Amino acid sequence: EKMWTTGAFHDCSGNIIHMLLAKLPGSEKISLFLVPNVLQDGTTKNKVELISLNRKMGHKAVSNCAWGLDGAVGYLVGEPDRGLMCMLGMMNAMRIEVGIGAAALGKRGLQESLLYAQEREQGGAQIVDYPDVKRMLLAQKAYAEGSFSLCIWAAGQHDLALAGDEEAKSLLGVTTEVVKSWPSEWCLVGNTHAMQVLGGAGYVQDYPLEQLYRDQRLNMIHEGTAGIHALTLLGRKVQGGRAEVLFRTMRRDAKFAEQQATGGVGWAAGDEDVLTECATKLREAVNRLEHVTNVLTSGDTSRDQALTNAQSYMNLFGHTVISWQWLRLATAAARLLDREYKGDDEASSSETGASPTSAAAQFYQGEIATCAFFYRHELPKTEAAAALLLSLDETVAKMEPGWF
Amino acid sequence: EKMWTTGAFHDCSGNIIHMLLAKLPGSEKISLFLVPNVLQDGTTKNKVELISLNRKMGHKAVSNCAWGLDGAVGYLVGEPDRGLMCMLGMMNAMRIEVGIGAAALGKRGLQESLLYAQEREQGGAQIVDYPDVKRMLLAQKAYAEGSFSLCIWAAGQHDLALAGDEEAKSLLGVTTEVVKSWPSEWCLVGNTHAMQVLGGAGYVQDYPLEQLYRDQRLNMIHEGTAGIHALTLLGRKVQGGRAEVLFRTMRRDAKFAEQQATGGVGWAAGDEDVLTECATKLREAVNRLEHVTNVLTSGDTSRDQALTNAQSYMNLFGHTVISWQWLRLATAAARLLDREYKGDDEASSSETGASPTSAAAQFYQGEIATCAFFYRHELPKTEAAAALLLSLDETVAKMEPGWF
């Protein structure tokens, strides 16, 4: 019997195949098998049976079930006894996909709530003009687009790694957990904001917000829970200085942003030098993360003590990584905005210096503003997490189950 | 026509009455009316009609609807033109009730997920022994019981205020918003943790966790949205030094906790002097909150600038107030635990010094541990909020709607 299998039974296709881990007779190790509902001859039914469908809170477009496979036929996939390795390759890609899915739901929440905020009036103004509504929209944009940026970067590293790029392999090795976990957690916060923008209307089925809120909640649970990923990240992935390649990459991009800023481009070089401000803050954040990582993975710290607050480490790590993504986005936006200011051909050179009002220019300004938002409103949250981790706080560890 | 009315139409009782605000003919001011579905003679139907029921995500035990009352009869309640005052009295009590409801759902989530964590085994151990699970349970306990404590305190002040107690009136005036908002927001985080403890099982209808998650989400929306309460708190309630009475009360309780701690009671006076640690931290937190309040409400700060980050002020205010409640709980628990250590009569005096293992003693230890958790894991979050507020950050205000 197997539980929590998604898509194992439904009426949308003639045959359904399952990838399954099991041991070959006489072996202690795990192999990977393909188990179809209909055998290779195309007519014989395999001995698989649906036990029950799970009644889920959301994600209702796909079925999830408990099923039995007593006496079922499975075909070996890959080499015998190498099942775990085969599966892990698939699962790494799946984790990027969960991140992208979470980002997509987050972005959808932004779009729906923005649309509503632009139409809905209260006290004689569109509610999109109210600071608290703008805050909730900005936070959604910061979470969703920051997540997208991270996932797309990771997908690029995934392709490079398949082509044999060693640095990409190392970078992917240390970021897979955050690519899955951060969007799942923070785009859920975003979807909560989206519902809040609509108020009561967000709570009813007339709008899609309540569905996004229910659907998104699954992402912290499936493909490895948030807690497991936090433990894997701190307990395994960043051990032995293996996060250094990521720290180096983030520092390089901070430097790149600074160089571009001092080159004097558009909005970013005006009164508010967002690129320089954020590059400085990113450098500090990377230093902080590196210091915490070194302390927690050093031989002087007991492993149990270090891992107790693994979730705080994930928060610190994730917010730092998303800050980095936002600086990359803002750096690109500033460059493109600069082009809008200058005009991109001789004919429009007379417009140089005029404030550009094209849709593209507005979008670039929004990217830079959202970057500033993330650095000023979100990144500072990591300071408390870092302090907690450095104190090797044992409050949680010392709590006795009988005391609840 | 009226929208979003809860309980206006259902089949559970013969008659249903509505409290409604409207203007008397010829008056500019608002009066309060009672509008029944069946008139006073007990048989004549009033001209009220159901337009449609709202299909809500949760809170499905009560109906919510849009309805029409063209030509309906209403009876004046209270004095003419004083409707808003009458309504506000009711609404203040309602807000405490929303807080209590949110706390109750939070506590239920704790109980259900604790039960599951005590039964469910993974890797040869009950999952309640895993630090990350304990963290999620502790956080739930901190949110739910801290909320309860605040609400019960507020209900006490409400009774005192009705009896004419001026200090109680002042205290209630400055805390009504946080009593409604903090439990609504943080017990939702708690319910998210509760679901996470169960993993996939929390996401399906076999357990009540998914319902708690859906039901709880309403509390940030109804009886005034979180955003409105944050604006009311900062824009009106704490203006003119009116929060001083609360700061004084919190400082008095910090001093009381310290005196008890130095008196040398039980667990709290052992290696970990939780009461002294938390009393010191509460004093710092109150100083911080007072400073931020003074800056934001001073004549030198523009009102718009101050109110832009009202939600951050609510976070700062709320976490400080809940810290205070936890110190009160821990102070009481330490005193009672001390009694358990000493034995409470002559006969058991020989047991003095033995570690008490009664259910009561375990509960008291849990209260002190949860207090420590809140001060170490939650209260530090207020530092980033305070810094943001003091910087009078305008990132949100400067974001143009066209940039999203």
Side-chain angles (χ1 to χ4, degrees):
Chain A
E1 286 185 18
K2 249 186 92 60
M3 183 60 168
W4 306 123
T5 305
T6 289
F9 288 86
H10 55 75
D11 303 326
C12 299
S13 60
N15 197 2
I16 300 169
I17 60 172
H18 319 274
M19 303 301 278
L20 207 83
L21 292 171
K23 289 173 190 166
L24 281 169
S27 172
E28 278 299 295
K29 291 182 177 167
I30 290 169
S31 303
L32 185 64
F33 297 90
L34 187 155
V35 181
N37 283 7
V38 179
L39 296 186
Q40 260 182 319
D41 63 14
T43 49
T44 313
K45 288 205 162 189
N46 203 358
K47 287 189 175 166
V48 294
E49 55 163 355
L50 174 66
I51 295 171
S52 79
L53 290 172
N54 286 314
R55 292 167 302 158
K56 295 177 291 177
M57 180 178 74
H59 260 255
K60 293 187 178 177
V62 286
S63 68
N64 184 283
C65 68
W67 54 301
L69 24 60
D70 197 19
V73 172
Y75 306 101
L76 183 67
V77 174
E79 293 171 40
D81 296 344
R82 302 270 298 162
L84 222 49
M85 290 306 297
C86 299
M87 196 66 144
L88 275 180
M90 277 172 44
M91 284 172 77
N92 279 337
M94 277 298 290
R95 278 161 190 168
I96 298 176
E97 286 161 21
V98 169
I100 290 177
L105 292 184
K107 181 81 180 182
R108 175 91 194 280
L110 168 63
Q111 290 168 333
E112 296 284 350
S113 57
L114 177 61
L115 200 67
Y116 184 90
Q118 285 166 336
E119 286 176 353
R120 170 88 175 164
E121 292 192 3
Q122 196 112 39
Q126 293 172 333
I127 65 169
V128 72
D129 286 324
Y130 287 100
D132 195 55
V133 172
K134 275 203 284 189
R135 175 187 66 83
M136 292 189 283
L137 294 169
L138 255 175
Q140 288 181 68
K141 188 173 167 74
Y143 302 150
E145 294 182 8
S147 294
F148 259 130
S149 182
L150 176 64
C151 292
I152 289 165
W153 171 85
Q157 300 302 314
H158 189 259
D159 288 353
L160 288 170
L162 285 180
D165 185 313
E166 289 301 322
E167 187 179 270
K169 273 184 207 171
S170 304
L171 283 168
L172 203 59
V174 80
T175 50
T176 303
E177 284 68 30
V178 77
V179 167
K180 191 270 176 186
S181 283
W182 201 91
S184 301
E185 181 171 352
W186 291 91
C187 292
L188 176 63
V189 176
N191 285 145
T192 303
H193 287 336
M195 184 185 285
Q196 193 71 19
V197 168
L198 273 74
Y203 197 69
V204 294
Q205 293 170 24
D206 305 34
Y207 291 87
L209 283 309
E210 63 89 27
Q211 187 192 333
L212 298 182
Y213 173 80
R214 289 183 291 108
D215 287 354
Q216 182 73 281
R217 185 61 186 83
L218 181 62
N219 287 321
M220 279 174 71
I221 295 173
H222 68 169
E223 295 298 328
T225 61
I228 294 297
H229 284 299
L231 276 179
T232 305
L233 175 66
L234 179 55
R236 205 151 55 79
K237 295 302 191 78
V238 303
Q239 295 286 328
R242 278 189 282 164
E244 278 306 321
V245 59
L246 176 65
F247 301 155
R248 202 161 54 234
T249 304
M250 294 197 282
R251 286 185 176 120
R252 186 198 63 204
D253 287 345
K255 194 171 173 187
F256 181 68
E258 261 169 352
Q259 285 169 341
Q260 182 172 313
T262 50
V265 288
W267 194 80
D271 286 348
E272 280 197 89
D273 188 346
V274 171
L275 289 195
T276 303
E277 172 196 335
C278 295
T280 304
K281 287 180 176 173
L282 177 59
R283 218 188 298 276
E284 289 165 5
V286 173
N287 289 346
R288 189 186 303 132
L289 176 60
E290 185 178 41
H291 177 55
V292 171
T293 305
N294 288 342
V295 169
L296 294 183
T297 60
S298 95
D300 299 336
T301 306
S302 93
R303 192 173 161 80
D304 279 354
Q305 232 180 343
L307 291 183
T308 293
N309 298 309
Q311 183 59 48
S312 290
Y313 184 77
M314 175 60 92
N315 295 344
L316 167 65
F317 193 96
H319 261 55
T320 306
V321 163
I322 297 292
S323 295
W324 163 53
Q325 290 298 326
W326 267 111
L327 187 59
R328 294 179 69 225
L329 290 171
T331 305
R335 192 172 60 243
L336 292 163
L337 186 60
D338 193 45
R339 201 178 293 172
E340 294 279 327
Y341 267 94
K342 289 179 180 153
D344 53 3
D345 57 24
E346 292 294 320
S348 63
S349 64
S350 61
E351 293 177 273
T352 303
S355 183
T357 55
S358 68
Q362 296 217 39
F363 175 74
Y364 301 144
Q365 283 177 311
E367 293 297 289
I368 296 168
T370 309
C371 175
F373 174 83
F374 198 85
Y375 275 84
R376 294 168 190 167
H377 287 240
E378 290 290 333
L379 185 59
K381 293 178 182 173
T382 59
E383 287 172 36
L388 181 79
L389 288 161
L390 289 175
S391 75
L392 300 175
D393 180 74
E394 292 195 294
T395 315
V396 168
K398 284 186 177 170
M399 179 74 182
E400 296 287 336
W403 293 356
F404 280 109
Chain B
E1 285 185 18
K2 248 186 92 60
M3 183 58 168
W4 306 124
T5 305
T6 289
F9 288 87
H10 54 74
D11 303 325
C12 299
S13 60
N15 197 1
I16 300 169
I17 60 172
H18 319 275
M19 304 301 278
L20 207 83
L21 292 171
K23 288 173 190 165
L24 281 169
S27 171
E28 278 299 295
K29 291 183 177 167
I30 290 169
S31 303
L32 184 63
F33 297 89
L34 187 154
V35 181
N37 283 6
V38 179
L39 296 186
Q40 259 182 317
D41 62 15
T43 50
T44 313
K45 287 205 162 188
N46 202 357
K47 286 189 175 165
V48 294
E49 55 163 355
L50 174 66
I51 295 171
S52 79
L53 290 172
N54 286 315
R55 292 167 302 159
K56 296 178 290 177
M57 180 177 73
H59 260 256
K60 294 186 177 177
V62 287
S63 68
N64 184 284
C65 68
W67 55 301
L69 23 61
D70 197 20
V73 172
Y75 306 101
L76 183 68
V77 174
E79 293 171 39
D81 296 345
R82 302 270 297 162
L84 222 49
M85 290 307 296
C86 299
M87 196 65 145
L88 275 180
M90 276 173 43
M91 284 171 77
N92 279 337
M94 278 298 290
R95 278 160 190 169
I96 298 176
E97 287 161 21
V98 169
I100 290 177
L105 292 184
K107 181 81 180 183
R108 175 91 194 280
L110 169 63
Q111 290 168 333
E112 296 284 350
S113 57
L114 178 60
L115 200 66
Y116 184 90
Q118 286 166 337
E119 286 176 352
R120 169 87 175 165
E121 291 193 3
Q122 196 112 39
Q126 294 172 332
I127 65 169
V128 72
D129 286 324
Y130 287 100
D132 195 55
V133 172
K134 276 203 284 189
R135 174 186 66 84
M136 292 189 283
L137 294 169
L138 256 174
Q140 288 181 67
K141 187 174 166 75
Y143 302 150
E145 294 182 8
S147 294
F148 259 130
S149 182
L150 176 64
C151 292
I152 289 165
W153 171 85
Q157 300 302 313
H158 189 259
D159 287 354
L160 288 170
L162 284 180
D165 185 312
E166 288 301 323
E167 186 179 271
K169 273 184 206 171
S170 304
L171 283 169
L172 203 59
V174 80
T175 50
T176 303
E177 284 67 30
V178 76
V179 167
K180 191 271 177 185
S181 283
W182 201 92
S184 301
E185 181 171 352
W186 291 92
C187 291
L188 177 63
V189 177
N191 286 145
T192 303
H193 287 337
M195 184 185 284
Q196 193 71 20
V197 168
L198 273 74
Y203 197 69
V204 294
Q205 293 171 25
D206 305 34
Y207 291 87
L209 283 309
E210 64 89 27
Q211 187 192 333
L212 298 182
Y213 173 80
R214 288 183 291 108
D215 288 355
Q216 182 73 279
R217 185 61 186 82
L218 181 62
N219 287 321
M220 280 174 71
I221 296 173
H222 68 169
E223 296 298 329
T225 61
I228 294 297
H229 284 299
L231 276 179
T232 305
L233 175 66
L234 179 55
R236 205 151 55 78
K237 295 302 192 78
V238 303
Q239 295 286 327
R242 278 190 283 164
E244 278 305 322
V245 59
L246 176 65
F247 301 155
R248 202 160 55 234
T249 304
M250 293 197 282
R251 286 186 176 118
R252 185 198 63 203
D253 287 345
K255 194 171 173 187
F256 181 68
E258 261 169 351
Q259 285 169 340
Q260 182 172 312
T262 51
V265 287
W267 194 80
D271 286 347
E272 281 198 89
D273 189 346
V274 172
L275 289 194
T276 303
E277 172 195 335
C278 295
T280 305
K281 287 179 176 172
L282 177 59
R283 218 189 298 276
E284 289 165 4
V286 173
N287 289 346
R288 190 186 304 133
L289 175 60
E290 185 178 39
H291 177 55
V292 171
T293 305
N294 289 342
V295 169
L296 294 183
T297 60
S298 95
D300 299 336
T301 306
S302 93
R303 192 173 161 81
D304 279 353
Q305 232 180 343
L307 290 183
T308 293
N309 298 308
Q311 183 59 47
S312 290
Y313 184 78
M314 175 59 93
N315 295 343
L316 167 65
F317 193 96
H319 261 54
T320 306
V321 163
I322 297 292
S323 294
W324 163 53
Q325 290 298 326
W326 267 111
L327 187 59
R328 293 179 70 226
L329 290 171
T331 305
R335 191 171 62 244
L336 293 163
L337 185 60
D338 193 45
R339 201 178 292 171
E340 294 278 328
Y341 267 94
K342 289 179 181 154
D344 53 4
D345 57 24
E346 293 294 320
S348 63
S349 64
S350 61
E351 293 177 274
T352 303
S355 183
T357 55
S358 68
Q362 296 217 38
F363 175 74
Y364 301 144
Q365 283 177 311
E367 293 297 288
I368 296 168
T370 309
C371 175
F373 173 83
F374 198 86
Y375 275 84
R376 295 169 189 167
H377 287 240
E378 290 290 333
L379 185 58
K381 293 177 182 173
T382 59
E383 288 172 36
L388 181 80
L389 288 161
L390 290 174
S391 74
L392 300 174
D393 180 74
E394 292 195 294
T395 314
V396 168
K398 284 187 178 170
M399 179 74 182
E400 296 287 336
W403 293 356
F404 279 109

